[in-house]
């Protein structure tokens, strides 16, 4: 008697859990924008992200993606999230330093040594610490995806050492740390939105730009460049941001689906981008660009010369933030 009662109670509980789970999903069309071409691995990540939320919500939630800055550049789209007129954006951290100065930590030149270190920092406590600061300005960061180590391309001359940057007209992101990093190298740095790079290079308004190989490939910058240098000078992550005003209207189940699926998308995106990176370089080379390596000694020299940028920006980023990331990295390197 007791046993059957217990069994039927368990069955009832199971049914009500299943029913409430379904009831907790509303029809949600999530507009997500990005500045890149859809052929970039972010496209693969978004596909996985979308398939996952559709599955978890029984088809009620879905993601509609807009590519190549169709809904505005990184910063404009992020502001649309804050005011609750757009749901989601995948953006570089760099153009958002005006909103969250602590994000500048990711712009510090030569901060991470490799992808493994970057993953450990952004997926760990440090990433959560930064997420709280984003939350405070109305942005829910669902995950960190990979943009990648940045490399310099240009149409002027081979660049293999510090002095080669002298006088180069280079596009940088709308970010003071990048601006100072390249000014410090003697370059003529100009902040510009991502969507303006191709025509800037084509019309020779700028000589150079810097982005990971995969971006140089999928945004076709190699068509209007002659040289590429393996500088690996910074690793700026992507943030998968959700509008907090809209987030606050979602149920716990909807929020959980989005958080879990953004991580699934992250794993896919990282897998694809890492497999593609060397292929992208090969493609760039095959298109006729001259590849220049930076020697390990020169890399060290660049890092030490870049120290003034750390000193100048530490106060704005937050001394505690810079020290915290350095401590995290020191622990990882033990
Ligand atoms: C840049 C960034 C961009 C990304 C992209 C638009 O150079 O690296 O590639 O923010 O999402 O502006």
């Amino acid at each position: 008697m007791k046993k059957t009662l217990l069994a039927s109670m368990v069955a009832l509980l199971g049914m009500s859990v299943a029913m409430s789970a379904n009831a907790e999903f509303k029809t949600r069309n999530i507009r997500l924008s990005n500045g890149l071409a859809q052929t970039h691995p972010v496209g693969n990540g978004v596909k996985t992200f979308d398939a996952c939320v559709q599955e978890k919500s029984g088809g009620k939630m879905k993601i509609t993606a807009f590519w190549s800055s169709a809904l505005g550049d990184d910063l404009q789209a992020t502001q649309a999230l804050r005011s609750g007129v757009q749901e989601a954006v995948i953006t570089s951290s760099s153009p958002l330093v005006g909103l969250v100065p602590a994000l500048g930590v990711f712009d510090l030149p030569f901060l991470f040594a490799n992808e493994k270190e970057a993953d450990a920092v952004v997926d760990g406590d440090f990433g959560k610490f930064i997420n709280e600061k984003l939350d405070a300005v109305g942005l829910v960061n669902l995950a960190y995806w990979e943009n990648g180590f940045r490399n310099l391309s240009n149409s002027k001359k081979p660049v293999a050492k510090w002095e080669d940057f002298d006088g180069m007209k280079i596009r940088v992101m709308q970010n003071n740390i990048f601006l100072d990093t390249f000014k410090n190298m003697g370059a003529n740095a100009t902040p510009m939105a991502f969507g303006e790079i191709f025509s800037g290079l084509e019309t020779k308004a700028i000589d150079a730009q810097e982005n990971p190989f995969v971006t140089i490939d999928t945004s076709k910058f190699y068509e209007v460049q002659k040289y590429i240098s393996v500088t690996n000078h910074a690793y700026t992550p992507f943030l998968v941001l959700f509008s907090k005003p809209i987030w606050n209207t979602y149920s716990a189940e909807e929020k959980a689906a989005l958080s879990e699926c953004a991580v699934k998308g992250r794993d896919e995106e990282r897998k694809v981008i890492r497999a593609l990176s060397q292929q992208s370089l090969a493609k760039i080379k095959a298109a006729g660009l001259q590849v220049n390596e930076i020697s390990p000694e020169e890399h060290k020299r660049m890092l030490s010369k870049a120290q003034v940028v750390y000193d100048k920006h530490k106060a704005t980023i937050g001394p505690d933030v810079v020290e915290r990331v350095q401590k995290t990295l020191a622990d990882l390197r033990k």
Side-chain angles (χ1 to χ4, degrees):
M1 169 66 196
K2 257 191 183 163
K3 261 189 190 161
T4 38
L5 188 65
L6 195 68
S8 54
M9 275 173 66
V10 168
L12 263 172
L13 194 71
M15 264 174 67
S16 70
V17 166
M19 274 169 61
S20 72
N22 262 330
E24 289 310 330
F25 287 102
K26 293 209 176 96
T27 301
R28 307 281 194 192
N29 183 16
I30 295 156
R31 288 157 303 171
L32 179 150
S33 72
N34 182 253
L36 298 159
Q38 190 172 0
T39 49
H40 186 282
V42 164
N44 302 72
V46 168
K47 220 172 146 195
T48 301
F49 186 10
D50 178 39
C52 174
V53 292
Q54 290 210 34
E55 196 207 303
K56 282 192 192 288
S57 66
K60 287 197 157 177
M61 297 171 88
K62 73 171 206 303
I63 296 171
T64 305
F66 297 85
W67 302 100
S68 305
S69 311
L71 298 187
D73 64 33
D74 285 345
L75 186 56
Q76 280 172 313
T78 303
Q79 295 292 23
L81 262 59
R82 296 182 70 215
S83 51
V85 300
Q86 181 182 323
E87 287 80 4
V89 66
I90 300 182
T91 171
S92 283
S93 52
S94 317
L96 313 188
V97 290
L99 294 172
V100 178
L103 285 174
V105 74
F106 297 123
D107 301 314
L108 292 170
F110 309 104
L111 182 72
F112 297 133
N114 51 51
E115 282 121 3
K116 212 175 145 211
E117 258 185 27
D119 288 357
V121 170
V122 299
D123 297 342
D125 288 344
F126 186 80
K128 292 197 188 91
F129 166 71
I130 296 291
N131 288 349
E132 285 163 20
K133 297 183 186 288
L134 285 157
D135 196 88
V137 299
L139 299 163
V140 178
N141 186 24
L142 299 175
Y144 293 86
W145 289 14
E146 175 152 293
N147 189 349
F149 281 97
R150 308 180 73 91
N151 294 299
L152 180 92
S153 73
N154 84 92
S155 58
K156 278 256 150 128
K157 61 178 185 191
V159 173
K161 60 178 190 309
W162 181 272
E163 288 73 16
D164 298 334
F165 286 88
D166 195 50
M168 180 96 52
K169 271 190 283 171
I170 171 165
R171 173 269 178 179
V172 291
M173 291 183 283
Q174 291 135 309
N175 174 289
N176 281 336
I177 301 171
F178 269 85
L179 191 63
D180 281 344
T181 299
F182 286 95
K183 273 189 176 166
N184 183 42
M185 293 173 128
N188 180 353
T190 314
M192 201 182 268
F194 182 80
E196 292 162 37
I197 300 177
F198 189 92
S199 66
L201 294 172
E202 196 177 31
T203 61
K204 300 260 164 40
I206 44 170
D207 306 320
Q209 68 82 43
E210 45 78 50
N211 256 297
F213 297 139
V214 174
T215 301
I216 297 173
D217 168 9
T218 56
S219 289
K220 305 204 187 306
F221 297 155
Y222 64 86
E223 289 181 356
V224 284
Q225 296 281 264
K226 292 204 175 81
Y227 305 92
I228 181 141
S229 304
V230 190
T231 48
N232 285 324
H233 55 271
Y235 181 101
T236 54
F238 282 138
L239 311 173
V240 182
L241 299 177
F242 207 88
S243 159
K244 192 161 179 214
I246 300 176
W247 179 260
N248 288 341
T249 68
Y250 280 27
S251 69
E253 288 77 5
E254 289 169 330
K255 289 175 184 166
L258 284 167
S259 301
E260 286 162 30
C261 295
V263 169
K264 269 203 168 174
R266 172 196 78 193
D267 293 344
E268 177 66 10
E269 192 261 353
R270 283 186 186 162
K271 195 176 88 197
V272 177
I273 199 168
R274 286 168 191 177
L276 188 63
S277 188
Q278 287 307 308
Q279 285 179 45
S280 286
L281 178 59
K283 187 168 160 190
I284 292 164
K285 224 169 153 176
L289 273 77
Q290 182 185 318
V291 182
N292 293 288
E293 301 282 343
I294 311 292
S295 70
E297 302 76 57
E298 184 59 21
H299 220 261
K300 263 198 209 122
R301 192 174 154 246
M302 284 182 172
L303 173 61
S304 71
K305 280 178 172 283
Q307 219 47 53
V308 291
V309 179
Y310 277 68
D311 297 342
K312 181 171 173 196
H313 289 278
K314 195 171 173 181
T316 328
I317 297 168
D320 62 314
V321 179
V322 177
E323 277 151 29
R324 191 168 178 141
V325 82
Q326 284 173 332
K327 164 95 177 51
T328 308
L329 286 167
D331 287 346
L332 285 168
R333 288 168 188 167
K334 262 183 201 156

